[in-house]
Amino acid sequence: MHQSILSYRGSRYLWWSLLLCLIAIVAYIVDEPNMPPNGGTVLGYILGTLSALLIVWLMWFGIRKRCYKSKMGTVVGWLSAHVFLGLALVILATLHTGFQFGMNVHTLAYVLMIIVVVSGIYGVFCYLHYPRLMTDNRGEVSPDSLMRQIQEIDRQALVIASEISDETHERVLNSIRRSRVGGGVLKIIFGRHKKANLEGLVQKAKVQQKIMKAKNVDSTMAFMASRITHGREDTSELLRQLTDLLIGQKEKLLAQLRRDLQYKAYMDLWLYIHVPFSFALLAALIVHIFSVFFYW
Amino acid sequence: MASPIYRIAIIGSGPGGLSAASRAAEKGVSHVLLEAEKHISNTIYRYQKGKHVMNEPRVLPLRSPILFDAGKREDVLSIWQQGLDQHKVNIQHGAEVVAIEGSIGAFEIKLSNDEIVRAETVILGIGVQGNPRMLGVPGEKGTEDKASIVQYTLDDPEEYEDEHIIVIGGGDAGIENALALCGHNTVYMVNRGMEFERAKEANNSAMLAKIKKGEIVCFYGANSVQIDALNDMDEQKAILVLETPDGEARVPCDRIIARLGAIPPRPFIESCGIVFPSKDREAIPELSDKYETNVPGIYIIGALGGYPLIKQCMNQGYEVVEYIDGVDLKPADEPLLQAKFDKIKNKPSVSQALKAIKKQVPLLSGLTTLQLREMMLDSEVCVPNEGEYIFRKNDYTDTFFCIISGKVNIEIDDDDPDKVIPLSQGQFFGEMSLLSGRRRSASIRAASGCILIETPRRLMNKLIGSVDSVKRTIDEAFIVRTLQTRFAPTTPVDDLTKVAKAAKMLAFKAGEELFHEGDTAKSFHVIRKGSVTISRQIGEHEVVMSYLPAGNYVGEMGIMGQSRRTATVKAATATETIELSADAFNYLIEQDAELKKKIEAEYKQRVSKNLNIQQEGGRGIISFLVSQGVGEATDVLLIDESLCVRCDNCEKACAETHDGTSRLDREAGPTYASIHVPTSCRHCEHPHCMKDCPPDAIKRAPDGEVFVGDNCIGCGNCQRNCPYGVIQMAVKPPKKPGLISWLLFGFGPGPGRASQISKAHDPDAIKKAVKCDMCKDLAGGAACVRACPTGAALRIKPDQLPGYAGK
Ligand SMILES: Cc1cc2nc3c(=O)[nH]c(=O)nc-3n(C[C@H](O)[C@H](O)[C@H](O)COP(=O)(O)OP(=O)(O)OC[C@H]3O[C@@H](n4cnc5c(N)ncnc54)[C@H](O)[C@@H]3O)c2cc1C
Ligand code: HEM
Ligand code: SF4
Ligand code: SF4
Ligand code: SF4
């Protein structure tokens, strides 16, 4: 019942696009202009006009997407058409060039268009690929409640740390301040997140456990003994709890949360190429048309 | 000590009581106004701070010595207090009445402090809110130098921060408070039961999630024993001692919020000898047209008497004192009623018209004049032209019609509008949709000289709940008409009535079984309200095969051939069925040769659909969706998470087209096999939200949309009653600049962004209920679905459910 952009209404726009491409290709083969095929032939003008209109229409999608009261079709329908007709544009525009490329504003427009299209193809891949991964990663918890669970762990960790020593408290506090989630899109995707800097703690916990094992004393005895020797509570159990909280539970949650943000970022990031380049394309297109008519 | 005997004792200083007392004071009638609380009008006192009190119905004139106009809660209360002072009303605070004894002329009113007040007549205006149940443990009240840490309401959860708070009571109110407080406080929940069985599903699952995550600590099976105050040195203020299955627990805390429910006023009222006509929750004591109960000398006004709006309460307070004083005056709503009857050609007076209705419509003859008045106030008199359609088949309207005079024709054949069954004066129609919550099952046209009363659903339900004869008559007609339309269109009505008399009306709670696989089959069921799931034991699992909404029947195959049930049938939501015996069924089959074939064909079709579901692996989906209320929905939003790119365009679209507040929350809500049910209105067949709406502002449009009308008074009842948590209380934001000026000049917030004016914190802003209206005012239809760029969001109706699962 749910239809993706590719399968929307039996992929009707795919068939439209194929038909459009077919007509263009046949016309290109059949056409015998009195100059080498390029934008200046009659067919070239037709293909050029068509491509330019298509580009304007493709960009109009950004507006339609935000006209929530519009009665003109649905946004899925528009996007489905956007994708397939956008792909058809490659054929139309290429035929329009007559395969004449050079170092000029015309080819610049063409290259920009290719960048937009390639980013679009990648976008479609992202849209179809990441949503499922996101659901799988998230399970039943929302990012909001992940965040709150993490805060709660931090709170508990601080309480335990303060029972161990001031130094430990300080250290845990620092590590909490450092472990940030989010930031810009780029940071989310590329940023390497430092593990909480708690190596010292882990070492300490391990050493204490070893000592206990080596001594092979039963834990109450150890507890009593350490009280006597240090005059305060034994910290190894607390340290174990602390490392379990911060390294076991928290890191797991953080990883889950980061992955969630990462997937979302993957679905957003490509638009940062697609949209600016489509504006650049529009600009280049205007220059292209302008220069053709005034300087050719 | 001989206390004075007052002419009138008024109990409860709500709008009804105050108005009565001040009218008595104004007239110089000896009176006393007894109020349990230290302040007046407890119901209004307990509204949220700064709530805008509305004066619906606006056309109704106010008749009271005390002023009332729409405005802030604080202003309304202070004007009333001034009014009481000015009229020198004899009010006694802290006077909770626990019993009324004696009879007219010599009533003895007992207060909780054992004091006795004597009066000749009593006016009860105690409302329907009831009094909160107290904790009743030592230490609850606090001491002289230490205030009590126990409270029974929570006005603003944001008021408290970093406190240790114990919420007692695992009902909806308690859970909602705990959820609202956690995050910025340490919250404990004390629940007497071992689960939250009384809570709505949404609250239950939200609570369990919090407990699982350790954000709320819950004590199950726990009882409070006592509260021990701590010293000022301690971090917390007190310790609550609990008795739990694991022994005693001592929980330090700063605050205890006890949400133990209210003691409903009904037992108290019955103890005064006042009779309720039925056990139904909606039942209202029967009153004379002078508001007198069956106990002479005791009068009931206000919400308790079924009039839930402030202005109505105040008018009744005035009128009842006049009646007691022997003045005969026409109720304030007389002109409103007259205007309705003026539509009839000979323009009868109100009393003539009411008398005629009682005489001509047997269904309504059992009503008291007061009940009939109330019904007429919200009903419309319709005088349709000959041939005009009153409603059409498949409309979603749910009003109820009585024929005062003339005739209507029911079209029974879609292809031939001339095939009709006539209904004439005194009969009624529209009960099918009223009871099942489904679309109209036939078109109805007016014949000549037709005058009708059209009554809204809520009022009709109230009547069915409080007047037994109305319920019986409608039920019987419902069965006969069901048999007629579904099974035996040619059998004379009298024969069917016999069958109908033998039929049984059964009610099932959600999850209860109608019958079990393998049982011997003796009867079959026509589902008249709600819906059922059909499941089978496959291996170790019970697998849901199909889902059937109201209007269908189940169990027919059992009695038509196979003698054992081949599947288990369970109620998916609260469901009512008509059970017919095998004999009755065979009788029906004898009447019509084609019927057997028709039933067999329908059965085959259903089986093949089931097979589809089984093969396509859609089995879990149906039970999941049914558990999410899709079974009682008429239209529900589903999101396929394998397509959803979390762009929230759906929410933006909704907000943009609906005054800036999105009526759906995409992220919230459960997911199963990548199908996500966001928090969004299901447009229930029997909308729970409509139940206690004082101005009856929630309506169903002809296409099925359940929407909130402009006359919403912002009381929040619907928000509490909706089991899916989809109603919000919101303020209308200021207008935003258009799309183009945002795009070009960056004016104002962009599409889908909230208006910059902070909505929640303007204390004077009028908050009203907002919910999904299925975009009924947009030509294109549901904006959320149409704005989804990936096709992830769609809306389905329950009859598409088997197809959806078997996709
Ligand atoms: C949240 C909310 C918002 C609402 N908003 C509006 C609105 O904007 N406009 C509108 O028209 N209506 C509104 N209503 C409805 C309206 O408030 C009530 O229907 C109305 O208050 C009923 O008035 P009443 O006089 O019948 O009783 P109440 O106002 O309920 O007053 C009953 C009084 O009796 C006292 N009492 C109870 N038992 C005893 C006893 N045993 N002994 C002594 N005293 C007793 C109580 O303390 C209370 O003061 C709203 C209701 C709610 C819950
Ligand atoms: C030169 C051709 C194209 C132009 C000018 C263009 C332009 C645009 C614009 C302006 C948007 C709106 C983005 C927004 O406002 O959010 C958009 C969105 C999009 N485009 Fe293109 N596009 C082109 C080709 C393509 C192609 C070929 C594809 C895919 C194969 C594609 C896939 C998409 C997708 C998936 C979106 C995102 C929809 C959303 O979620 O908002 N585009 N494009
Ligand atoms: S708001 Fe009303 S109709 Fe919508 S889901 Fe809630 S109860 Fe049902
Ligand atoms: S149908 Fe309309 S009102 Fe309902 S959630 Fe969707 S956009 Fe909002
Ligand atoms: S609009 Fe569609 S894709 Fe976007 S969040 Fe809503 S359901 Fe998901």
Side-chain angles (χ1 to χ4, degrees):
Chain A
M1 274 229 196
H2 298 271
Q3 291 176 324
S4 76
I5 31 182
L6 299 185
S7 62
Y8 178 77
R9 296 262 167 104
S11 311
R12 63 157 68 158
Y13 297 107
L14 171 63
W15 304 114
W16 285 28
S17 303
L18 286 178
L19 188 68
L20 189 62
C21 292
L22 195 72
I23 295 172
I25 291 171
V26 169
Y28 187 82
I29 295 171
V30 174
D31 187 39
E32 281 176 359
N34 49 12
M35 53 171 126
N38 67 29
T41 67
V42 176
L43 182 65
Y45 270 125
I46 296 177
L47 287 173
T49 314
L50 215 58
S51 302
L53 287 178
L54 254 180
I55 289 177
V56 171
W57 176 81
L58 287 165
M59 292 209 60
W60 186 257
F61 173 75
I63 307 229
R64 167 60 187 87
K65 190 180 144 187
R66 292 174 178 81
C67 289
Y68 300 109
K69 288 190 182 136
S70 168
K71 279 181 279 182
M72 239 194 299
T74 58
V75 177
V76 216
W78 270 71
L79 186 57
S80 183
H82 179 93
V83 165
F84 290 124
L85 291 176
L87 288 172
L89 174 68
V90 180
I91 308 278
L92 297 191
T94 309
L95 295 179
H96 166 70
T97 64
F99 302 96
Q100 295 187 2
F101 302 106
M103 292 294 282
N104 50 32
V105 65
H106 318 295
T107 303
L108 173 67
Y110 184 82
V111 171
L112 288 174
M113 182 197 79
I114 294 297
I115 293 178
V116 174
V117 171
V118 170
S119 66
I121 295 174
Y122 173 68
V124 171
F125 163 78
C126 291
Y127 272 25
L128 294 179
H129 183 62
Y130 290 112
R132 191 177 289 278
L133 294 182
M134 207 162 168
T135 309
D136 292 347
N137 172 52
R138 211 179 257 185
E140 280 178 11
V141 260
S142 71
D144 253 12
S145 71
L146 272 178
M147 202 71 116
R148 256 172 287 137
Q149 284 181 55
I150 291 172
Q151 281 166 1
E152 178 57 24
I153 288 182
D154 285 346
R155 200 185 59 79
Q156 288 175 13
L158 279 177
V159 172
I160 297 178
S162 66
E163 282 177 35
I164 299 175
S165 69
D166 286 352
E167 187 215 337
T168 321
H169 185 260
E170 181 92 349
R171 200 174 231 168
V172 171
L173 198 62
N174 277 334
S175 109
I176 288 172
R177 288 210 185 106
R178 260 199 309 275
S179 67
R180 281 249 190 73
V181 186
V185 179
L186 289 176
K187 180 121 188 271
I188 290 176
I189 293 192
F190 300 112
R192 220 175 271 125
H193 299 281
K194 288 203 202 89
K195 280 246 161 72
N197 185 8
L198 294 168
E199 261 89 61
L201 275 182
V202 182
Q203 283 307 324
K204 213 163 155 186
K206 279 190 185 143
V207 170
Q208 290 222 9
Q209 269 164 14
K210 253 193 209 140
I211 296 172
M212 303 254 295
K213 269 201 195 118
K215 283 188 186 159
N216 198 15
V217 276
D218 119 285
S219 63
T220 5
M221 283 301 288
F223 178 71
M224 297 303 286
S226 71
R227 273 191 90 109
I228 294 164
T229 49
H230 300 291
R232 64 191 175 98
E233 283 182 35
D234 174 50
T235 53
S236 85
E237 173 56 20
L238 290 175
L239 271 171
R240 198 193 55 70
Q241 283 177 11
L242 190 62
T243 47
D244 177 53
L245 269 178
L246 290 179
I247 296 179
Q249 299 182 32
K250 183 174 166 183
E251 283 300 322
K252 218 172 85 212
L253 292 176
L254 274 177
Q256 203 181 351
L257 187 59
R258 283 185 187 127
R259 225 172 297 128
D260 191 73
L261 292 172
Q262 224 165 42
Y263 290 145
K264 178 80 179 82
Y266 279 129
M267 290 191 284
D268 291 345
L269 181 70
W270 68 276
L271 272 172
Y272 288 82
I273 296 171
H274 196 68
V275 179
F277 274 86
S278 68
F279 276 98
L281 164 63
L282 191 65
L285 187 67
I286 292 169
V287 175
H288 159 70
I289 295 170
F290 192 75
S291 62
V292 165
F293 282 106
F294 287 85
Y295 300 99
W296 209 254
Chain B
M1 192 182 74
S3 56
I5 298 187
Y6 297 104
R7 174 86 182 93
I8 306 177
I10 300 138
I11 305 176
S13 68
L18 316 155
S19 177
S22 34
R23 180 61 188 154
E26 200 177 47
K27 296 186 76 159
V29 175
S30 86
H31 68 279
V32 61
L33 175 56
L34 302 171
E35 168 56 56
E37 299 294 328
K38 289 192 213 91
H39 43 258
I40 57 165
S41 283
N42 195 34
T43 301
I44 286 130
Y45 183 86
R46 285 198 342 222
Y47 289 178
Q48 204 181 343
K49 229 183 274 158
K51 177 187 179 306
H52 183 85
V53 182
M54 287 171 234
N55 61 345
E56 297 289 331
R58 252 165 280 178
V59 285
L60 184 69
L62 178 70
R63 182 191 261 176
S64 170
I66 297 229
L67 300 178
F68 171 56
D69 211 344
K72 264 208 308 196
R73 175 197 85 136
E74 288 71 13
D75 299 340
V76 169
L77 285 174
S78 86
I79 289 173
W80 286 353
Q81 187 62 55
Q82 280 166 26
L84 289 180
D85 295 345
Q86 186 196 334
H87 289 98
K88 303 209 169 55
V89 169
N90 176 24
I91 181 166
Q92 199 172 323
H93 284 289
E96 186 191 350
V97 176
V98 291
I100 303 175
E101 282 156 16
S103 58
I104 186 163
F107 284 111
E108 292 200 342
I109 302 166
K110 274 212 184 95
L111 307 186
S112 58
N113 60 2
D114 291 335
E115 204 181 305
I116 288 178
V117 175
R118 287 168 225 278
E120 291 169 20
T121 52
V122 178
I123 299 174
L124 279 171
I126 59 175
V128 287
Q129 301 290 318
N131 297 315
R133 204 161 285 191
M134 302 282 169
L135 208 49
V137 298
E140 172 182 10
K141 296 251 154 68
T143 53
E144 264 169 35
D145 49 329
K146 275 212 170 67
S148 168
I149 62 161
V150 184
Q151 64 191 58
Y152 293 91
T153 54
L154 173 65
D155 287 336
D156 180 8
E158 301 303 322
E159 210 177 301
Y160 313 117
E161 210 161 313
D162 292 329
E163 289 195 11
H164 286 236
I165 303 179
I166 304 178
V167 178
I168 305 182
D172 282 314
I175 293 181
E176 277 160 26
N177 287 176
L179 293 176
L181 287 165
C182 88
H184 50 292
N185 293 290
T186 306
V187 178
Y188 303 89
M189 159 62 71
V190 175
N191 184 12
R192 190 130 49 104
M194 300 309 287
E195 338 174 11
F196 298 99
E197 64 276 340
R198 277 175 303 128
K200 311 187 229 198
E201 189 40 44
N203 279 337
N204 181 33
S205 51
M207 191 68 197
L208 293 180
K210 294 278 175 204
I211 294 174
K212 200 165 126 205
K213 279 183 251 147
E215 286 178 44
I216 293 178
V217 178
C218 180
F219 297 93
Y220 290 102
N223 281 312
S224 328
V225 180
Q226 67 184 56
I227 299 169
D228 296 337
L230 289 174
N231 294 325
D232 292 340
M233 315 276 289
D234 291 301
E235 258 184 75
Q236 266 75 47
K237 291 197 186 124
I239 284 185
L240 173 68
V241 183
L242 294 171
E243 194 181 82
T244 76
D246 305 326
E248 188 185 89
R250 299 172 67 82
V251 191
C253 59
D254 301 301
R255 190 176 300 282
I256 295 175
I257 300 180
R259 300 308 300 259
L260 310 171
I263 303 169
R266 182 162 171 166
F268 164 64
I269 294 166
E270 285 177 324
S271 76
C272 304
I274 297 166
V275 183
F276 282 76
S278 80
K279 280 204 210 98
D280 199 288
R281 198 185 75 95
E282 310 216 4
I284 288 158
E286 212 169 274
L287 302 180
S288 74
D289 46 352
K290 304 252 178 337
Y291 309 115
E292 194 164 7
T293 63
N294 61 305
V295 181
I298 301 187
Y299 296 76
I300 285 183
I301 55 168
L304 188 60
Y307 286 78
L309 290 171
I310 292 172
K311 215 194 272 173
Q312 296 168 333
C313 298
M314 295 182 75
N315 287 354
Q316 292 189 342
Y318 180 100
E319 288 156 13
V320 74
V321 169
E322 295 294 340
Y323 294 147
I324 292 174
D325 206 32
V327 180
D328 193 15
L329 98 167
K330 294 221 153 80
D333 48 32
E334 187 87 357
L336 301 182
L337 283 181
Q338 188 63 56
K340 295 191 188 213
F341 293 123
D342 282 349
K343 284 198 202 150
I344 303 174
K345 239 192 253 130
N346 59 355
K347 297 199 181 7
S349 75
V350 173
S351 62
Q352 276 170 344
L354 292 181
K355 225 179 256 158
I357 292 173
K358 267 193 171 188
K359 206 173 105 211
Q360 280 154 19
V361 185
L363 177 72
L364 303 179
S365 59
L367 267 58
T368 65
T369 311
L370 196 66
Q371 281 166 332
L372 192 58
R373 279 191 95 93
E374 190 194 354
M375 171 178 161
M376 282 313 303
L377 263 183
D378 284 334
S379 303
E380 282 309 322
V381 175
C382 319
V383 190
N385 296 323
E386 183 169 356
E388 197 179 310
Y389 277 99
I390 294 157
F391 53 70
R392 285 173 195 267
K393 188 170 174 170
N394 290 339
D395 274 0
Y396 245 125
T397 47
D398 50 14
T399 48
F400 179 89
F401 294 85
C402 293
I403 309 175
I404 316 185
S405 78
K407 254 194 208 158
V408 300
N409 288 319
I410 311 176
E411 293 182 2
I412 48 170
D413 191 337
D414 291 348
D415 304 322
D416 181 3
D418 289 332
K419 267 200 197 156
V420 294
I421 301 178
L423 288 180
S424 53
Q425 177 177 329
Q427 290 187 290
F428 55 86
F429 57 94
E431 78 292 345
M432 291 275 197
S433 293
L434 177 78
L435 294 177
S436 68
R438 306 220 136 220
R439 296 162 185 273
R440 297 291 192 194
S441 52
S443 299
I444 295 200
R445 255 181 306 148
S448 65
C450 169
I451 302 173
L452 307 172
I453 310 175
E454 177 176 10
T455 310
R457 176 192 124 94
R458 189 183 68 140
L459 211 78
M460 218 44 225
N461 279 338
K462 208 153 117 184
L463 281 182
I464 292 175
S466 17
V467 186
D468 240 6
S469 64
V470 172
K471 180 175 167 54
R472 233 176 317 115
T473 317
I474 291 185
D475 279 351
E476 237 163 59
F478 182 87
I479 300 178
V480 170
R481 288 179 189 170
T482 307
L483 295 177
Q484 201 171 23
T485 49
R486 295 298 305 242
F487 303 111
T490 51
T491 314
V493 172
D494 286 346
D495 291 356
L496 288 179
T497 311
K498 267 181 239 144
V499 180
K501 284 240 155 61
K504 267 190 263 168
M505 289 282 186
L506 300 177
F508 300 89
K509 288 196 207 98
E512 217 176 317
E513 284 182 5
L514 277 66
F515 51 76
H516 196 87
E517 188 174 346
D519 287 355
T520 20
K522 292 191 203 108
S523 64
F524 89 116
H525 297 258
V526 181
I527 307 161
R528 82 164 196 162
K529 176 179 173 182
S531 55
V532 300
T533 56
I534 299 176
S535 56
R536 231 179 242 169
Q537 195 74 25
I538 296 184
E540 283 182 12
H541 300 283
E542 188 184 322
V543 176
V544 175
M545 319 280 299
S546 188
Y547 155 86
L548 283 179
N552 288 283
Y553 44 84
V554 283
E556 75 285 6
M557 284 333 269
I559 48 180
M560 263 174 72
Q562 308 133 2
S563 55
R564 303 233 160 236
R565 301 293 191 195
T566 53
T568 299
V569 175
K570 253 189 209 170
T573 57
T575 297
E576 286 173 19
T577 71
I578 303 167
E579 191 190 36
L580 287 168
S581 65
D583 290 346
F585 187 72
N586 290 332
Y587 170 81
L588 290 174
I589 285 191
E590 277 164 28
Q591 305 301 307
D592 185 347
E594 294 295 299
L595 185 63
K596 193 165 177 186
K597 273 193 212 135
K598 201 175 103 196
I599 290 178
E600 274 168 349
E602 275 179 36
Y603 179 75
K604 270 204 196 107
Q605 210 182 352
R606 205 157 81 201
V607 170
S608 68
K609 239 188 206 164
N610 287 354
L611 277 180
N612 232 358
I613 293 173
Q614 232 181 327
Q615 280 162 1
E616 309 279 339
R619 307 165 214 170
I621 295 268
I622 289 208
S623 14
F624 166 69
L625 290 177
V626 165
S627 77
Q628 290 310 313
V630 180
E632 60 172 331
T634 61
D635 191 296
V636 60
L637 179 64
L638 299 179
I639 292 182
D640 183 345
E641 283 207 335
S642 64
L643 290 176
C644 170
V645 295
R646 280 72 164 176
C647 62
D648 281 336
N649 224 27
C650 42
E651 286 190 13
K652 287 175 203 157
C654 186
E656 277 297 301
T657 49
H658 293 86
D659 296 325
T661 310
S662 173
R663 282 95 208 272
L664 80 108
D665 183 342
R666 179 189 58 78
E667 184 104 55
T671 306
Y672 176 88
S674 92
I675 299 300
H676 178 66
V677 187
T679 299
S680 154
C681 179
R682 276 87 159 138
H683 299 273
C684 305
E685 287 179 342
H686 294 275
H688 311 271
C689 51
M690 284 184 184
K691 239 177 334 213
D692 295 323
C693 173
D696 202 8
I698 303 181
K699 289 274 189 301
R700 164 157 255 151
D703 289 327
E705 307 91 341
V706 176
F707 66 97
V708 183
D710 284 338
N711 55 337
C712 164
I713 54 171
C715 68
N717 284 354
C718 53
Q719 189 185 29
R720 281 184 289 278
N721 282 336
C722 168
Y724 308 107
V726 307
I727 300 187
Q728 309 162 57
M729 307 308 293
V731 172
K732 234 185 198 186
K735 227 178 150 33
K736 295 203 311 193
L739 179 62
I740 298 297
S741 53
W742 169 76
L743 223 64
L744 298 182
F745 313 112
F747 280 156
R753 298 275 162 69
S755 266
Q756 268 150 349
I757 312 287
S758 148
K759 311 180 207 176
H761 294 290
D762 177 4
D764 288 334
I766 299 179
K767 274 195 181 171
K768 291 194 175 195
V770 299
K771 67 178 284 296
C772 165
D773 59 2
M774 233 146 81
C775 295
K776 67 182 178 61
D777 300 326
L778 288 186
C784 49
V785 171
R786 296 158 39 76
C788 173
T790 64
L794 65 78
R795 291 192 154 271
I796 68 162
K797 303 193 181 304
D799 37 342
Q800 299 167 309
L801 194 56
Y804 182 81
K807 69 181 159 169

